[in-house]
Amino acid sequence: MSTATPQKFEFQAEIKQLLDIVIHSLYTEKEIFVRELVSNASDALEKLRHTQITEKDIADDQLTLEINVTTDDKAKTITIQDTGVGMTRAELIENLGTIAHSGSKQFLKALGEGGAKNSNLIGQFGVGFYSAFMVAKSVKAYSHSWRKDEPGHVWTSDGSGSYEIEEVDGQQRGSKIVIELKDDCADYATDWKIKEILERYSAFVSFPINLNGKHVNTVQALWLRSKNEIKDEEYTEFYKFQTHAFDEPRLRLHFSADAPLAINALLFVPKENTEKMGFARTEASVALYCRKVLIDAKPKDLLPEWLRFLKGVVDSEDLPLNISRETMQDRALIEKLNKVITKRFLKFLEEEAKNHADAYAEFYQEFGIFLKEGAAMDFAHKDQLVKLLRFESSLTEKGKTTSLADYVSRLGADQKEIYYLVGPNRAAIESGPYLEGFKARNLEVLFCYEAVDEYVMSNVREFDGKKLTAADHADVKLTDLPKPEGALSEDDTKALTAWLKTTLGERVAEVKASDRLVDSPALALNADKFMSPHMRRMMKAMNKDSAESPLRVNLEINPRSAVMKRLFETHTTAPEKAKLVAEQILDNALISAGLLDDATPMVARLYKLLESV
Ligand code: ADP
Ligand code: MG
């Protein structure tokens, strides 16, 4: 029933409601209307491509499949035209006059659920075709279906409650949306503005997009191409385009999955960790695409926090054709994506560590801190992450690291614990008194140099059934070593420790002979089992007051050391001098433990001791 004169229709009630919100909303990112119309054009072209496979008789079959955007700043119009499937008269009524499609339905549902005040919903849900009314005085949709015998039509509305449809001649296949812009939206009729918007949202649309005759989307959606067809330079170029980076990526993972979700992902680890360089906390920036159209450049929960250093693209391509942006708001879907990608990336790192150990070591040097964060905080991925941690140890060379698994593989049958020491660097740990007892017993000790290590180790707690234990912890029990010649007797040692306890008074909780010392005369252990020396240093750095609380340590002495033997002799013959020596020994032990808060009294005492030499 074609008519030559315009015929007027009322919008369906829901559409009226929707339009009312869209038109009066204060939503600031009105520019998304470009994304919506371009993705409609792209959908229509995709549908045509499918139709061409099964149908022979297609209108204007010679037309190139493309999208043409033109702006006219004098007339204040923007036009988005495609050579896709087009719409018949009935389809215009069905698609643009009723709320058949999912996007707008979801939008209204969310509004009904108390979101009315939140104009953000427009951006989140993408109200599709109707978003044009945020910027339009009027919208004309010219369309000609791919079906040859159908005439062309123009659909016209100012969004205020009704629309008109009129038959027009001379329409080529596809649709042409002409928007007459509101005065305060005239910017959208300028070339530069639309260019910028197209580059942001539609850079990877598969069909050529021409803006005022110039091809704008020249970068390919690399993530959808087959890996072995892509050159390294192409990846690098893409990385630079996508992340606005100047460096080259350090690692990349390009993968696709079919189940439980169809995913194409291209992930990059940058060369450098900017957080480590002192820049602000990195923002998650793996962008989420749905069939090459940007959904969200910085989706928050797509990946766990500790993966915030990753860059790249995730595209969930195999979703039903009519899926819209709103589905991406679906928590369950995001969670599923998160799970699949995280698992895959962890597997990738495991392979890297195995197959390219040197590159992995360099990566770890730069980004290991994120893996530690994950191991300590992300319970779901802890087990996989712990395997990826690396440490220097008493058995590695300086600069070389070991994994916990390798550590365990070297363990003696009766060793139930994995020992570690936290210190500022290798030299400090090696020259301190804590290591020697472990060395003498051939026990490997992991060296931890970062402030967070203490926290990470205590959160990770165990690996492969072995407890992670700080080697300077007061509770550590070590096996007996054969008694060397010339040590103080047990009675003498008892007398000396008792004298030390009395002499040092409040400053020590306990004094005893040590099973960890081999060469050093003494060591200090924090009497507070819940706070290691390193933790105390951190607390002190954060908050002065907590360090003011009186420090009481356990002093362990070495009955084999010449200093102790001499002290045993002098503590009866020259008690005054022996007291100074005892205090100095305690201070030395505190220095090694990083627990000496104020060195001033020590200096005075040392001069006194030097006088008597
Ligand atoms: P969605 O794209 O989520 O379906 P829209 O509001 O963007 O919702 O579009 C509504 C419907 O209008 C589309 O599903 C499609 O059938 C039709 N349509 C919109 N733009 C075009 C176009 N350029 N060519 C053909 N059909 C279109
Ligand atoms: Mg759409």
Side-chain angles (χ1 to χ4, degrees):
M1 180 204 63
S2 90
T3 47
T5 47
Q7 197 182 353
K8 195 169 166 179
F9 300 84
E10 287 289 304
F11 280 113
Q12 192 190 22
E14 284 99 324
I15 298 282
K16 279 190 195 167
Q17 188 193 349
L18 180 73
L19 281 169
D20 193 51
I21 293 161
V22 168
I23 289 166
H24 296 112
S25 99
L26 297 174
Y27 184 61
T28 49
E29 285 158 63
K30 296 187 188 328
E31 67 192 30
I32 59 140
F33 85 90
V34 180
R35 169 189 80 181
E36 295 298 326
L37 297 184
V38 167
S39 73
N40 282 352
S42 169
D43 290 349
L45 288 162
E46 199 71 62
K47 284 181 202 161
L48 186 84
R49 202 143 65 177
H50 281 118
T51 312
Q52 279 174 328
I53 298 166
T54 51
E55 304 284 337
K56 283 200 187 62
D57 227 12
I58 288 184
D60 301 324
D61 213 4
Q62 80 295 349
L63 284 175
T64 318
L65 301 190
E66 62 183 7
I67 300 166
N68 290 298
V69 181
T70 45
T71 55
D72 182 337
D73 54 0
K74 299 239 165 48
K76 293 184 193 156
T77 60
I78 171 171
T79 303
I80 292 150
Q81 180 251 336
D82 65 72
T83 51
V85 281
M87 287 176 272
T88 62
R89 181 186 169 87
E91 283 165 344
L92 280 168
I93 296 169
E94 167 74 18
N95 295 336
L96 306 185
T98 63
I99 195 149
H101 60 291
S102 51
S104 310
K105 244 187 201 158
Q106 290 284 341
F107 173 73
L108 283 176
K109 188 164 158 259
L111 277 180
E113 283 161 7
K117 282 156 255 122
N118 188 1
S119 57
N120 245 328
L121 286 172
I122 293 177
Q124 286 179 14
F125 287 87
V127 287
F129 175 79
Y130 305 105
S131 58
F133 288 99
M134 289 192 291
V135 297
K137 265 186 200 162
S138 78
V139 176
K140 285 184 190 300
Y142 295 88
S143 205
H144 191 293
S145 165
W146 63 272
R147 292 167 202 277
K148 273 187 168 151
D149 43 2
E150 292 281 339
H153 293 92
V154 57
W155 176 106
T156 312
S157 179
D158 61 4
S160 65
S162 64
Y163 60 93
E164 282 182 1
I165 296 186
E166 185 178 2
E167 204 174 297
V168 286
D169 289 333
Q171 253 338 94
Q172 67 168 19
R173 184 196 70 219
S175 306
K176 182 171 84 180
I177 316 295
V178 184
I179 297 172
E180 189 194 343
L181 293 158
K182 293 180 192 166
D183 292 335
D184 61 347
C185 296
D187 254 11
Y188 297 110
T190 57
D191 184 88
W192 65 270
K193 175 99 181 174
I194 300 301
K195 180 160 185 277
E196 184 206 291
I197 297 170
L198 288 173
E199 277 169 357
R200 180 131 34 99
Y201 293 105
S202 310
F204 303 112
V205 167
S206 357
F207 301 96
I209 303 175
N210 306 305
L211 172 62
N212 297 320
K214 258 180 85 183
H215 189 186
V216 286
N217 57 333
T218 49
V219 182
Q220 285 191 36
L222 217 54
W223 62 89
L224 294 179
R225 277 175 52 197
S226 154
K227 259 199 278 203
N228 33 24
E229 287 171 5
I230 306 174
K231 296 199 203 77
D232 282 352
E233 304 88 81
E234 289 182 272
Y235 277 122
T236 303
E237 188 199 350
F238 176 83
Y239 167 78
K240 288 181 177 172
F241 173 85
Q242 175 70 14
T243 64
H244 309 289
F246 297 103
D247 62 343
E248 308 224 328
R250 177 183 287 280
L251 299 174
R252 72 162 184 260
L253 168 62
H254 184 181
F255 77 95
S256 52
D258 298 322
L261 281 169
I263 296 174
N264 285 282
L266 178 49
L267 304 174
F268 297 97
V269 176
K271 182 120 276 162
E272 259 143 29
N273 171 3
T274 51
E275 277 188 32
K276 196 173 148 193
M277 294 158 69
F279 286 97
R281 188 180 171 82
T282 310
E283 270 195 324
S285 49
V286 172
L288 185 59
Y289 283 76
C290 172
R291 295 180 300 121
K292 300 184 201 168
V293 176
L294 180 67
I295 310 302
D296 192 342
K298 296 178 186 299
K300 266 225 145 11
D301 302 317
L302 181 61
L303 293 171
E305 272 288 302
W306 56 269
L307 273 178
R308 62 185 176 278
F309 61 95
L310 283 183
K311 314 269 179 218
V313 168
V314 169
D315 191 321
S316 203
E317 135 119 41
D318 198 29
L319 298 161
L321 201 64
N322 67 347
I323 198 136
S324 323
R325 274 141 289 283
E326 85 283 357
T327 319
M328 288 301 156
Q329 290 307 116
D330 188 335
R331 299 248 46 86
L333 188 59
I334 292 280
E335 264 163 39
K336 252 190 221 158
L337 282 168
N338 182 320
K339 225 172 166 172
V340 176
I341 301 161
T342 307
K343 221 171 116 193
R344 186 64 186 78
F345 186 72
L346 283 166
K347 190 173 143 225
F348 164 73
L349 286 182
E350 228 169 277
E351 290 163 357
E352 280 293 304
K354 205 167 88 197
N355 304 329
H356 308 108
D358 288 346
Y360 181 77
E362 279 175 35
F363 156 79
Y364 190 83
Q365 180 80 5
E366 198 66 18
F367 292 94
I369 187 88
F370 291 102
L371 304 187
K372 286 179 183 174
E373 179 184 322
M377 326 256 281
D378 182 353
F379 193 75
H381 300 109
K382 177 181 135 181
D383 289 348
Q384 267 179 293
L385 278 161
V386 173
K387 287 191 206 149
L388 293 167
L389 302 184
R390 296 291 183 271
F391 300 95
E392 284 191 29
S393 89
S394 52
L395 294 187
T396 68
E397 288 168 48
K398 184 177 164 66
K400 294 271 185 283
T401 58
T402 181
S403 67
L404 290 173
D406 285 344
Y407 179 108
V408 169
S409 74
R410 290 187 287 265
L411 278 189
D414 47 351
Q415 189 179 335
K416 299 279 180 296
E417 291 171 302
I418 296 173
Y419 298 110
Y420 66 89
L421 275 172
V422 182
N425 53 51
R426 188 173 185 105
I429 294 177
E430 283 184 329
S431 62
Y434 299 98
L435 190 61
E436 54 196 49
F438 292 84
K439 270 199 154 158
R441 289 169 180 85
N442 276 323
L443 297 172
E444 183 173 4
V445 177
L446 299 174
F447 295 168
C448 303
Y449 307 137
E450 279 178 307
V452 293
D453 286 335
E454 183 90 48
Y455 175 74
V456 173
M457 291 307 220
S458 56
N459 268 34
V460 171
R461 295 177 71 147
E462 60 161 49
F463 176 78
D464 202 6
K466 316 277 183 216
K467 197 166 169 259
L468 291 165
T469 305
D472 55 2
H473 197 283
D475 279 353
V476 174
K477 294 270 175 298
L478 295 175
T479 54
D480 287 339
L481 285 177
K483 284 256 184 296
E485 296 292 300
L488 288 174
S489 73
E490 243 169 67
D491 285 350
D492 291 353
T493 306
K494 257 195 195 130
L496 182 59
T497 51
W499 176 81
L500 278 166
K501 171 76 187 97
T502 324
T503 307
L504 296 170
E506 279 297 289
R507 297 185 66 199
V508 291
E510 195 191 334
V511 182
K512 65 169 190 177
S514 179
D515 52 11
R516 340 182 174 212
L517 288 170
V518 178
D519 299 315
S520 303
L523 62 73
L525 297 167
N526 201 331
D528 180 355
K529 331 192 208 195
F530 300 107
M531 204 193 291
S532 70
H534 186 76
M535 251 152 98
R536 190 169 180 278
R537 275 199 299 279
M538 281 198 343
M539 300 277 285
K540 210 179 127 195
M542 289 185 308
N543 174 4
K544 276 210 147 53
D545 291 349
S546 68
E548 302 290 322
S549 62
L551 169 73
R552 272 158 56 95
V553 296
N554 294 343
L555 185 68
E556 292 194 1
I557 64 160
N558 180 358
R560 292 169 288 274
S561 103
V563 174
M564 285 303 155
K565 285 192 267 181
R566 180 90 184 104
L567 183 62
F568 179 71
E569 284 165 21
T570 44
H571 88 281
T572 45
T573 56
E576 279 308 305
K577 189 170 156 191
K579 182 168 191 277
L580 292 178
V581 171
E583 281 171 347
Q584 189 56 41
I585 287 171
L586 175 58
D587 276 2
N588 285 0
L590 291 175
I591 291 172
S592 291
L595 287 172
L596 189 72
D597 295 331
D598 182 8
T600 330
M602 187 185 92
V603 174
R605 182 195 314 121
L606 261 176
Y607 280 129
K608 240 186 183 171
L609 270 171
L610 288 172
E611 274 170 26
S612 69
V613 172

